[in-house]
């Protein structure tokens, strides 16, 4: 396992200097799940939620969150993202929504935190929009699924297909 890169030799937190790194295409995919009652999911899918289009709102929230990651996570670099996608896949048999995000850029540092932030905020937005209907929804499984680019190369979560 590598050393922690955000801790200086004196033990203080610091922002990593990436100025000498080479620009490469960086891609990261993340996911999360929002588990809910069948009735809650049906309300969303029928488009009958009194707050409007739940999926559209969560998708926009996830995209905005990816763009603001450096404002939320103290030592993250501000990035010029070239792509952010948020997919919300209903899984009625499992009473949940699968949140899948992808972030991409050409740059000196990775986009894992942006993909994870997009997934978490999209999931939180689903919860927020539906909490009047159901308060015991569960957000779970937030994780990095894949990353490409940079010195550490290509990572795919075990059991995933690229």
């Amino acid at each position: 396992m590598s050393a922690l890169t955000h801790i200086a030799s004196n033990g203080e937190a610091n922002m990593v200097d990436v100025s000498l790194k080479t620009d490469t295409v960086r891609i990261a995919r993340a996911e999360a799940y929002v588990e809910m009652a069948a009735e809650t999911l049906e309300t969303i899918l029928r488009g009958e939620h009194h707050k409007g289009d739940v999926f559209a709102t969560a998708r926009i929230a996830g995209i905005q969150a990816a763009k603001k990651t450096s404002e939320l996570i103290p030592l993250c670099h501000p990035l010029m993202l070239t792509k952010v996608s948020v997919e919300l896949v209903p899984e009625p048999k499992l009473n949940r929504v699968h949140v899948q995000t992808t972030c991409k850029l050409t740059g000196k540092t990775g986009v894992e935190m942006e993909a994870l932030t997009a997934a978490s905020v999209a999931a939180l937005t689903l919860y927020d929009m539906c909490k009047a209907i159901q308060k015991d929804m569960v957000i779970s499984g937030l994780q990095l699924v894949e990353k490409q680019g940079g010195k550490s190369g290509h990572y795919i979560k075990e059991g995933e297909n690229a």
Side-chain angles (χ1 to χ4, degrees):
M1 188 172 270
S2 303
L4 297 174
T5 58
H6 288 84
I7 306 297
S9 59
N10 64 0
E12 294 179 359
N14 72 319
M15 187 175 198
V16 174
D17 181 359
V18 297
S19 59
L20 298 178
K21 286 181 151 187
T22 304
D23 283 353
T24 61
V25 174
R26 314 282 187 132
I27 301 169
R29 294 187 311 115
E31 69 181 2
Y33 295 91
V34 183
E35 301 165 32
M36 61 190 67
E39 298 79 24
T40 304
L41 184 54
E42 272 304 309
T43 299
I44 296 169
L45 296 177
R46 286 193 310 264
E48 295 174 355
H49 196 290
H50 68 280
K51 289 187 177 182
D53 188 337
V54 174
F55 282 2
T57 304
R59 191 174 297 110
I60 291 167
I63 292 167
Q64 285 181 311
K67 293 166 34 176
K68 294 191 171 285
T69 299
S70 68
E71 295 173 34
L72 300 168
I73 312 288
L75 301 176
C76 284
H77 293 84
L79 301 179
M80 292 295 298
L81 297 167
T82 57
K83 176 185 177 66
V84 178
S85 69
V86 177
E87 293 181 48
L88 303 158
V89 181
E91 297 180 344
K93 290 181 180 175
L94 298 172
N95 294 328
R96 67 185 188 183
V97 176
H98 187 188
V99 179
Q100 301 169 315
T101 64
T102 302
C103 292
K104 182 178 179 180
L105 61 67
T106 300
K108 298 176 183 299
T109 189
V111 290
E112 297 93 349
M113 293 310 301
E114 288 70 15
L116 287 161
T117 300
S120 63
V121 170
L124 287 168
T125 301
L126 284 171
Y127 183 96
D128 179 55
M129 291 195 70
C130 295
K131 70 182 183 281
I133 299 170
Q134 181 185 354
K135 293 187 180 8
D136 64 347
M137 290 173 285
V138 174
I139 297 171
S140 65
L142 176 65
Q143 62 187 321
L144 182 68
V145 175
E146 180 181 15
K147 72 140 306 276
Q148 297 177 42
K151 183 173 67 173
S152 65
H154 193 175
Y155 162 81
I156 298 177
K157 184 187 125 214
E158 195 172 313
E160 283 293 313
N161 298 324

